[in-house]
Amino acid sequence: MLERDAAKYPFLKEAVRLVDALNIQLNDLADPSFSKILDRATERVTEAIIEGVVEAKLEDYMTELLSYPVASMLVSLKGDSFLDRRYALAEAVRIYFLLMKEDSKTLFDIAINEFNWDLQNTKENYDGQTYPFKLFFNNYLHSSSIFHEDKWKLVNRILKNGYVLLQQNEVARLIQGEVEMLIRERVSNRVNFDLPSPIKLKLEEISKIFEENRRKIGAEDLPLEVIREAFPPCMTYCLEGLLSGRRASHMERFALTSFLINVGMPIESIVDLYVSVTDFDEALTRYQIEHIAGLKGNKTRYTPPLCDTLRTHGICRNKDEICERIKHPLNYYRIKAKRVIASQPKENGTNIINN
Amino acid sequence: MLLNLKKMVQTLSIINIQIIYFSPIFKLLCALKLDMESDWGSTKFVVEQFSKWYRNNAKTIPAPTEIKLREFAFLTFEGRTMFRHISFKDEVVLHRYLIDNAPANSYHSSSYYKHPDYDMNEKGWIGADLVFDIDADHFNLPCQTEHDKWLCRNCGKTGVGKPPELCECGKAQFQTETWLCEKCLQAAKNETQKLLDILIQDFGFTTKNDLVVNFSGNRGYHVHVRNKNVRYFDQSSRREIVDYILGTGIKPEYIGFNPKGHGGRSILGDEGWRGRVGKALYDFVDDSSSETIKSLNLSRTLTQNLINKKSEFLIALQNNHPSFILKKFAGRDEERIITDLDTILKIAIKQQSADIDTVVTTDIHRLIRLPNTLHGKTGWQTQTINPENISDYDPFTNAIVFKGEEVKLFVRWAPKIRIGDTTYGEYNEEKVTLPLAVAIFLLCKKGARVIN
Ligand code: SF4
Ligand SMILES: [Zn+2]
Ligand SMILES: [Zn+2]
């Protein structure tokens, strides 16, 4: 493989082999001769934070190639899951733009050799458009799983005999999805070791830029108070249902409970809520809520299901304009809470559920 | 008040059954019978029959594939606890268990585990079959008012069909009694056939290699997809498949209904949802009276066109691309077109989708009925059936396994039911002598008790 290709697509198995063969150690990176690589790595991460996409700089392809694993390391060292996702997406978008310029043979090579896809040529025509590719639906479901636009839902695709019809740019986009997941997984592997000072400095630089941009890129935390007005329609539906004593499915109760926990409602209040409106057994209710909160059992704190999941189970109701922009009820809450706070003078800001 | 009465019934029945029978409160107590499962069903008799059946037939029950990796679970007639986290190293041990215990209900995990007998958190999930549950309980069918009842445990109100979301007393604590009839099982079968069509045509599964279809033994059907490719699907992939089968999230513009479309051919002959929606739309417009069409509240232009130019519309649907049809019949207001399309497509999708239970398919730790065992709520067999012959399958004949002597029963209430070629009932507080197969069914439904 050409180094230039490796620089374009550093996640490819062969590119990784190429980098491994150079056997660069952490301390080497502190050496001034590597400063170009360290600089470019830092730049990759800051581009991801600020622009949301990493630019492809292919003139100095060795620097480009070697800066990729270093950038991943920096992100992983920073240890912020929001940054993980942002960086993975930014690298994946860079790759998407490059793939758009490739011929179909290169796409086939990557899809088949790297991701073991069952991708085939075909020639089908629908709505006046030609579909030159078809992909086995398993592979499709995996690679499209992080897209949430309606267009990528399986039900909106042409699925025939196990294969999804695709156009060339769609194949590139699906590879992007696959790459994004790959990088996400890689950077979310937390590492921890003593860093030589040049790397430490770079990490501080990244942290600073990340903090400065936190708000702008939507990585800020949820408000401290529970703001009832900011609940998404689905959660309002669940809550009102509960208050009126309607029979609620397990999914509904799980979604509401995990939502309330995540927006910061105290467990006591949630238990009271359930016990007051139903005749649930208090001890059992508390146990279940604590389980969802991650205080019991396997200690994982549950987040509410994605909008897609809520939609499948018929809980997504009365969608509004914010819903069109989000994929997760907590994100709805985050956006709406900001608006509610902004539109209200501090004095009467007591829309808190406190019973 | 209610609670006290319940207690009284229990104590009284121990002392002397005669007292209740002739006492003035008998009528009142009858209303509470729903609540007293323990009195009805002659558990001991049914257990004996189940045991006998398992002794003679357990060996004919095939183990699920990769039995070593499956969890098994069982319910007895007496207790309410489920015996679970059980594993069997082979078919022989499973058969022995069935013979020794004659369970009321038997289940196995759709999942494969490294240690199926460990606690949930330590089981080591490997994968899971893709399973679909079609259950007439979830449908809204007119026949339910003929054979289903409910009782509010809070205020004592009773009713027929499905219980309301909330009782008039403001609570939602219902006890239900559900039976079945040919209509609901036919409805369940229709949904199953639609599901199979989608799984075969769209997903490319084959009846020969991938699909196992079971009659549930009560009010529905289960379809298992056993295929290495689906085994490792996570919940989000399974959810996409559920959405596909239910048609959840279909956007008209992606199946051709785009007012800005480039054109193309008619969707009537297309595969997948395009063709399905096209056909449903065709049938709907063809069959609808002008009143039905008016009741949809579509735009004036579209309503008039669907009524006055019906045949033109149908011909266009056969020959032209939907974008052409929209231009020609739906007027100019694009936003209005979109809302009208939503209204019409909802009807078309409902007709063509298969009504599966969303939770069962997305749950990757599901316990599902062990095929070819007995169902404790009917005494019928949970049967594996050949998907090719599903249209000829008759649960009222094929799933009936108890043969033999007649049994004397006192029936408190049972709707009409066909078993084999004979129809029995309805019965209302009467003594009857019935073939074993019918008796077991009424007893399992807790609608009768054995008398001597
Ligand atoms: S889109 Fe998401 S947030 Fe909005 S109602 Fe549906 S599930 Fe809730
Ligand atoms: Zn009531
Ligand atoms: Zn019925």
Side-chain angles (χ1 to χ4, degrees):
Chain A
M1 170 188 253
L2 296 170
E3 274 98 348
R4 198 181 137 81
D5 278 341
K8 278 176 163 175
Y9 309 117
F11 60 89
L12 299 181
K13 288 179 198 125
E14 277 189 66
V16 174
R17 222 172 292 139
L18 212 68
V19 173
D20 282 352
L22 294 173
N23 195 19
I24 299 167
Q25 301 299 310
L26 187 64
N27 283 326
D28 299 341
L29 291 176
D31 191 278
S33 61
F34 278 88
S35 68
K36 256 203 327 202
I37 292 168
L38 195 54
D39 285 347
R40 174 61 186 142
T42 312
E43 189 183 48
R44 285 179 103 113
V45 183
T46 54
E47 277 172 357
I49 295 172
I50 299 168
E51 311 293 341
V53 50
V54 175
E55 205 185 317
K57 293 193 169 165
L58 297 169
E59 306 77 46
D60 180 357
Y61 52 78
M62 268 326 259
T63 302
E64 189 68 357
L65 172 63
L66 293 174
S67 62
Y68 166 75
V70 179
S72 304
M73 182 190 72
L74 290 171
V75 172
S76 160
L77 283 164
K78 174 74 181 96
D80 183 298
S81 60
F82 186 87
L83 181 62
D84 294 349
R85 289 199 301 276
R86 183 137 180 121
Y87 174 70
L89 176 63
E91 285 284 358
V93 172
R94 175 184 70 84
I95 283 152
Y96 173 71
F97 287 136
L98 291 171
L99 285 173
M100 289 289 284
K101 294 183 209 140
E102 305 282 3
D103 54 15
S104 68
K105 187 186 166 300
T106 311
L107 291 187
F108 264 105
D109 278 351
I110 294 178
I112 292 168
N113 298 333
E114 297 298 320
F115 301 119
N116 292 317
W117 281 4
D118 177 357
L119 179 69
Q120 299 175 19
N121 275 124
T122 183
K123 207 171 169 208
E124 306 250 11
N125 212 297
Y126 287 91
D127 303 331
Q129 279 171 305
T130 311
Y131 291 84
F133 299 96
K134 60 175 188 179
L135 176 63
F136 189 43
F137 82 96
N138 274 44
N139 303 134
Y140 177 85
L141 285 179
H142 187 263
S143 53
S144 67
S145 65
I146 53 173
F147 303 156
H148 296 273
E149 297 101 311
D150 291 328
K151 154 177 190 192
W152 295 103
K153 273 195 82 63
L154 188 63
V155 77
N156 286 319
R157 309 300 312 192
I158 300 162
L159 173 65
K160 278 169 76 168
N161 210 7
Y163 288 86
V164 177
L165 301 187
L166 294 169
Q167 287 168 349
Q168 179 151 339
N169 63 336
E170 293 175 330
V171 174
R173 185 73 202 286
L174 288 170
I175 293 178
Q176 176 200 326
E178 208 66 63
V179 171
E180 188 180 338
M181 282 185 273
L182 198 82
I183 300 178
R184 246 195 222 184
E185 196 184 306
R186 175 169 175 171
V187 295
S188 62
N189 260 332
R190 297 287 172 242
V191 284
N192 206 350
F193 35 71
D194 274 342
L195 295 176
S197 69
I199 301 182
K200 229 186 239 160
L201 283 174
K202 290 296 179 196
L203 202 57
E204 276 161 22
E205 189 183 327
I206 288 169
S207 293
K208 193 162 153 276
I209 292 172
F210 184 57
E211 290 312 320
E212 282 166 7
N213 287 276
R214 216 176 231 287
R215 238 194 116 75
K216 204 182 92 199
I217 59 181
E220 73 270 52
D221 296 324
L222 293 172
L224 288 173
E225 297 175 344
V226 179
I227 301 173
R228 175 68 188 83
E229 272 73 5
F231 279 27
C234 50
M235 291 301 137
T236 303
Y237 164 77
C238 290
L239 185 64
E240 281 169 358
L242 181 70
L243 291 172
S244 74
R246 178 169 47 74
R247 272 182 304 162
S249 65
H250 287 296
M251 184 46 115
E252 230 175 89
R253 255 182 272 148
F254 171 76
L256 179 63
T257 311
S258 54
F259 179 82
L260 293 175
I261 289 167
N262 278 277
V263 298
M265 188 156 168
I267 291 187
E268 281 314 307
S269 316
I270 306 177
V271 174
D272 288 350
L273 181 69
Y274 276 98
V275 174
S276 70
V277 294
T278 56
D279 55 354
F280 289 151
D281 175 56
E282 177 165 348
L284 192 66
T285 305
R286 178 182 310 275
Y287 179 84
Q288 285 167 348
I289 293 172
E290 288 180 348
H291 184 86
I292 294 174
L295 306 170
K296 289 267 151 66
N298 55 2
K299 307 258 176 197
T300 29
R301 171 170 176 163
Y302 290 91
T303 44
L306 288 165
C307 293
D308 286 351
T309 307
L310 295 172
R311 178 158 68 169
T312 301
H313 297 295
I315 300 172
C316 169
R317 308 233 172 171
N318 316 324
K319 283 171 77 164
D320 65 18
E321 136 275 338
I322 299 181
C323 289
E324 303 299 330
R325 298 162 44 196
I326 50 99
K327 331 168 208 180
H328 198 280
L330 281 178
N331 279 334
Y332 181 106
Y333 180 74
R334 189 176 281 121
I335 294 174
K336 188 76 177 279
K338 235 192 287 178
R339 288 192 197 169
V340 173
I341 292 170
S343 70
Q344 270 178 355
K346 273 271 170 323
E347 299 81 70
N348 62 4
T350 44
N351 302 297
I352 306 165
I353 302 186
N354 44 19
N355 59 333
Chain B
M1 176 65 179
L2 184 75
L3 263 177
N4 289 340
L5 261 181
K6 255 199 276 179
K7 263 195 203 130
M8 208 162 85
V9 175
Q10 274 156 14
T11 16
L12 277 174
S13 59
I14 300 166
I15 306 166
N16 190 341
I17 199 93
Q18 294 289 330
I19 300 176
I20 318 170
Y21 207 88
F22 298 109
S23 74
I25 56 163
F26 176 64
K27 275 272 162 306
L28 183 56
L29 292 173
C30 284
L32 293 170
K33 276 176 194 160
L34 274 171
D35 224 20
M36 300 158 44
E37 289 196 354
S38 53
D39 268 58
W40 296 96
S42 300
T43 308
K44 207 169 143 250
F45 177 81
V46 175
V47 171
E48 272 165 24
Q49 294 298 330
F50 268 49
S51 290
K52 202 162 124 201
W53 187 84
Y54 276 113
R55 274 199 306 278
N56 296 330
N57 298 286
K59 291 207 165 63
T60 64
I61 297 173
T65 52
E66 302 184 57
I67 180 170
K68 285 200 197 75
L69 307 178
R70 308 273 193 177
E71 177 195 355
F72 289 80
F74 303 92
L75 284 169
T76 61
F77 279 101
E78 294 90 358
R80 273 164 200 263
T81 40
M82 182 178 253
F83 297 93
R84 56 177 303 184
H85 311 304
I86 297 172
S87 78
F88 297 114
K89 76 175 197 323
D90 58 31
E91 213 168 61
V92 178
V93 195
L94 166 66
H95 292 160
R96 196 174 308 136
Y97 186 97
L98 291 171
I99 293 169
D100 291 349
N101 297 282
N105 295 293
S106 311
Y107 307 87
H108 73 82
S109 60
S110 62
S111 344
Y112 306 87
Y113 299 108
K114 280 204 201 85
H115 310 290
D117 50 342
Y118 286 18
D119 269 357
M120 218 55 225
N121 288 335
E122 270 101 52
K123 275 188 163 32
W125 188 86
I126 300 171
D129 298 332
L130 187 62
V131 291
F132 299 95
D133 176 26
I134 288 175
D135 189 338
D137 278 346
H138 298 292
F139 307 167
N140 282 317
L141 298 168
C143 66
Q144 286 163 343
T145 60
E146 290 160 23
H147 53 62
D148 293 353
K149 297 176 176 179
W150 54 268
L151 162 78
C152 172
R153 273 184 289 171
N154 185 47
C155 71
K157 193 178 159 50
T158 58
V160 294
K162 275 216 171 90
E165 288 213 324
L166 266 185
C167 180
E168 279 165 11
C169 70
K171 292 275 178 182
Q173 298 155 9
F174 298 107
Q175 179 140 359
T176 55
E177 178 180 336
T178 55
W179 293 70
L180 48 77
C181 73
E182 311 224 9
K183 289 175 205 146
C184 31
L185 283 189
Q186 185 58 44
K189 196 203 269 184
N190 293 346
E191 295 303 307
T192 309
Q193 282 173 307
K194 283 194 273 175
L195 170 66
L196 289 172
D197 284 348
I198 299 177
L199 291 176
I200 293 166
Q201 292 163 12
D202 298 21
F203 287 91
F205 297 122
T206 61
T207 50
K208 201 160 135 249
N209 300 322
D210 313 309
L211 299 171
V212 180
V213 181
N214 296 303
F215 168 59
S216 78
N218 192 11
R219 307 229 285 181
Y221 290 84
H222 300 154
V223 175
H224 302 227
V225 182
R226 291 190 183 142
N227 162 314
K228 284 248 149 67
N229 289 318
V230 304
R231 184 177 295 184
Y232 308 109
F233 276 159
D234 59 7
Q235 278 173 302
S236 98
S237 295
R238 285 168 208 256
R239 205 198 57 228
E240 279 299 307
I241 293 173
V242 168
D243 285 352
Y244 190 94
I245 284 157
L246 284 168
T248 306
I250 288 190
K251 285 276 148 61
E253 63 260 44
Y254 298 116
I255 52 169
F257 290 88
N258 185 352
K260 296 196 196 90
H262 312 276
R265 62 177 180 278
S266 158
I267 55 167
L268 267 192
D270 281 351
E271 305 83 351
W273 270 109
R274 304 166 68 87
R276 267 182 215 112
V277 166
K279 279 174 218 125
L281 187 57
Y282 188 98
D283 291 345
F284 176 75
V285 174
D286 198 14
D287 298 341
S288 295
S289 62
S290 22
E291 281 68 46
T292 316
I293 289 172
K294 278 182 197 148
S295 71
L296 296 178
N297 286 323
L298 306 170
S299 75
R300 273 216 3 236
T301 326
L302 187 56
T303 309
Q304 278 173 359
N305 283 335
L306 287 183
I307 294 171
N308 302 332
K309 299 187 183 164
K310 191 178 199 165
S311 50
E312 239 178 281
F313 178 89
L314 293 177
I315 291 170
L317 198 54
Q318 276 174 306
N319 298 324
N320 300 102
H321 187 260
S323 58
F324 169 84
I325 296 169
L326 291 179
K327 276 176 207 135
K328 185 144 182 230
F329 298 94
R332 292 250 164 88
D333 182 348
E334 277 197 18
E335 251 176 57
R336 190 59 210 256
I337 293 180
I338 303 284
T339 46
D340 285 356
L341 269 176
D342 271 347
T343 311
I344 299 180
L345 286 187
K346 256 197 207 113
I347 300 168
I349 289 165
K350 181 87 193 100
Q351 213 177 78
Q352 295 287 321
S353 65
D355 206 346
I356 54 171
D357 182 316
T358 58
V359 176
V360 170
T361 305
T362 48
D363 184 351
I364 56 171
H365 298 285
R366 196 75 191 179
L367 289 170
I368 190 135
R369 232 160 242 288
L370 180 58
N372 305 303
T373 57
L374 298 178
H375 193 306
K377 282 190 182 154
T378 53
W380 295 3
Q381 192 181 21
T382 303
Q383 280 180 327
T384 302
I385 56 184
N386 181 349
E388 315 269 357
N389 301 336
I390 182 170
S391 53
D392 300 330
Y393 178 75
D394 174 24
F396 298 90
T397 304
N398 297 305
I400 312 299
V401 293
F402 286 100
K403 311 254 151 63
E405 75 264 39
E406 299 206 310
V407 186
K408 258 196 204 151
L409 301 177
F410 179 80
V411 188
R412 56 179 177 128
W413 182 75
K416 209 190 275 172
I417 180 86
R418 172 173 71 82
I419 302 281
D421 293 328
T422 317
T423 302
Y424 302 87
E426 118 183 41
Y427 302 113
N428 206 345
E429 309 216 348
E430 57 195 288
K431 286 184 191 170
V432 275
T433 304
L434 292 169
L436 181 62
V438 187
I440 290 279
F441 177 72
L442 299 191
L443 291 169
C444 286
K445 284 283 179 193
K446 307 278 185 208
R449 73 159 77 91
V450 178
I451 49 174
N452 297 315

